[in-house]
């Protein structure tokens, strides 16, 4: 070989070295993607297996230990908050999103903070469990569900005397619901679902073995909260939730100062021009 002329093998080695230095691999793209997918699947399988191993040795507490006082206190506070949110959405948009994830996340955060304070002071008698977290999530979702399906934003107060007089149908009669009548009506609405849910549970879940999407997703979420990695992630999620909640509240509070009537404020700003704004009530 003449001096100064490199062989093809030498050139190929130099190119491969340069590709590796710059972060590229000389392997085909399909093989690389396949290897990455296999590694991701192995990591997910190991993560699922580790979560199951964490709770494998833990004994499921009895129902008396699951229904704790702190669970009901946190459920009551979150139920009030979520009922306000549901009523706001019910009177404006009429569409209520799923609140399972938010209820489970906030329930975990508040009770975890509670137990941490008791642990540092030496008064913690019972640790916080997944089952207790599920009790909180169930109570909050049930309370907010009653606020929506109970008809507080639709037909319940539409039967009152004041609404009947405003609509001009007072002569046709009306039913002015009392507090006792409303409580009885809500009991009927709430417990009537048991007669349909229990048979459907046996047919759909036990017999046909169909997956329950929202329940399965909530179960995986609560399981992840009670792992070391999930607890850190939940803390970040609550921090971000509180940040955006504060920004939304401050912006709404700022808008309230400039709302002087029905057609006043930032919500009635003529975004598409004054000509288009003239046809907003047509």
């Amino acid at each position: 070989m003449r001096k100064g002329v490199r062989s093809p093998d030498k050139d190929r080695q130099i190119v491969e070295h340069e590709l590796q230095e710059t972060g590229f691999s000389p392997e085909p793209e399909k093989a690389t993607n396949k290897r990455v997918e296999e590694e991701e699947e192995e990591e997910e399988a190991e993560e699922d297996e580790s979560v199951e191993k964490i709770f494998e040795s833990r004994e499921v507490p009895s129902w008396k230990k699951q229904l704790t006082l702190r669970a009901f206190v946190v459920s009551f506070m979150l139920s009030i908050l979520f009922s306000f949110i549901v009523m706001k959405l019910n009177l404006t948009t009429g569409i209520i999103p799923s609140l399972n994830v938010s209820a489970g996340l906030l329930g975990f955060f508040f009770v975890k903070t509670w137990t941490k304070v008791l642990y540092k002071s030496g008064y913690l008698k019972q640790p916080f469990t997944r089952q207790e977290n599920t009790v909180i999530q169930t109570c909050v979702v049930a309370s907010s569900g009653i606020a929506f399906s109970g008809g507080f934003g639709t037909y319940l107060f539409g039967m009152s005397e004041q609404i009947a007089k405003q609509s001009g149908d007072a002569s046709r009669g009306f039913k002015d619901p009392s507090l006792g009548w409303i409580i009885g009506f809500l009991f009927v609405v709430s417990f009537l679902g048991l007669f349909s849910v229990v048979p459907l549970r046996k047919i759909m879940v036990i017999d046909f073995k169909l997956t329950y999407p929202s329940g399965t997703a909530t179960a995986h979420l609560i399981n992840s909260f009670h792992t070391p990695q999930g607890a850190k992630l939940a803390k970040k999620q609550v921090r971000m939730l509180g940040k955006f909640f504060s920004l939304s509240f401050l912006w709404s509070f700022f808008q309230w100062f400039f709302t002087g009537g029905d057609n006043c404020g930032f919500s009635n700003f003529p975004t598409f021009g004054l000509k288009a704004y003239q046809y907003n009530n047509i």
Side-chain angles (χ1 to χ4, degrees), residues 84-190:
F84 273 101
I85 296 174
V86 167
M87 286 298 299
K88 169 66 175 178
L89 296 176
N90 193 15
L91 294 172
T92 53
T93 61
I95 301 174
I96 307 300
S98 178
L99 302 174
N100 295 344
V101 175
S102 302
L105 176 64
L106 292 177
F108 171 80
F109 172 75
F110 285 117
V111 180
K112 197 68 175 178
T113 305
W114 186 332
T115 55
K116 186 179 293 186
V117 173
L118 291 178
Y119 177 76
K120 291 183 178 179
S121 58
Y123 292 102
L124 181 62
K125 298 181 179 180
Q126 181 179 344
F128 182 42
T129 61
R130 299 175 296 162
Q131 290 76 18
E132 192 175 355
N133 201 165
T134 306
V135 169
I136 297 173
Q137 182 260 337
T138 304
C139 292
V140 174
V141 172
S143 301
S144 59
I146 293 175
F148 174 70
S149 61
F152 287 103
T154 53
Y155 52 82
L156 191 60
F157 290 113
M159 295 185 290
S160 63
E161 179 181 4
Q162 183 178 1
I163 301 300
K165 290 180 179 180
Q166 291 179 0
S167 61
D169 293 337
S171 59
R172 299 172 57 183
F174 54 88
K175 169 64 178 177
D176 199 359
S178 61
L179 180 61
W181 189 92
I182 293 175
I183 293 175
F185 175 75
L186 293 178
F187 266 101
V188 173
V189 172
S190 302

Side-chain angles (χ1 to χ4, degrees), residues 23-92:
F24 292 96
S25 175
E27 299 179 8
E29 184 178 357
K30 293 183 178 180
T32 304
N33 294 337
K34 185 178 180 180
R35 189 177 68 253
V36 171
E37 292 176 359
E38 291 177 354
E39 291 177 355
E40 292 178 353
E41 292 177 357
E42 290 177 358
E43 289 178 358
E44 292 177 358
E46 290 178 358
E47 183 178 356
D48 295 338
E49 186 179 359
S50 62
V51 172
E52 292 299 326
K53 286 183 177 180
I54 289 175
F55 303 109
E56 187 178 6
S57 59
R58 297 185 185 181
E59 184 181 357
V60 178
S62 62
W63 66 271
K64 293 182 180 180
K65 293 184 178 180
Q66 296 178 20
L67 305 178
T68 59
L69 177 62
R70 65 191 180 195
F72 286 116
V73 171
V74 174
S75 300
F76 179 73
M77 295 188 298
L78 290 179
S79 296
I80 295 175
L81 174 63
F82 276 68
S83 296
F84 273 101
I85 296 174
V86 167
M87 286 298 299
K88 169 66 175 178
L89 296 176
N90 193 15
L91 294 172
T92 53

Side-chain angles (χ1 to χ4, degrees), residues 239-281:
R239 189 181 297 114
M240 293 300 295
L241 183 64
K243 181 185 297 185
F244 284 100
F245 173 79
S246 302
L247 292 175
S248 177
F249 176 78
L250 292 175
W251 174 243
S252 300
F253 189 68
F254 175 76
Q255 287 180 318
W256 178 75
F257 283 102
F258 297 92
T259 304
D262 295 334
N263 296 320
C264 179
F266 283 94
S267 59
N268 294 278
F269 185 80
T271 306
F272 300 101
L274 294 177
K275 187 66 177 179
Y277 183 76
Q278 297 176 359
Y279 300 94
N280 65 339
N281 294 324

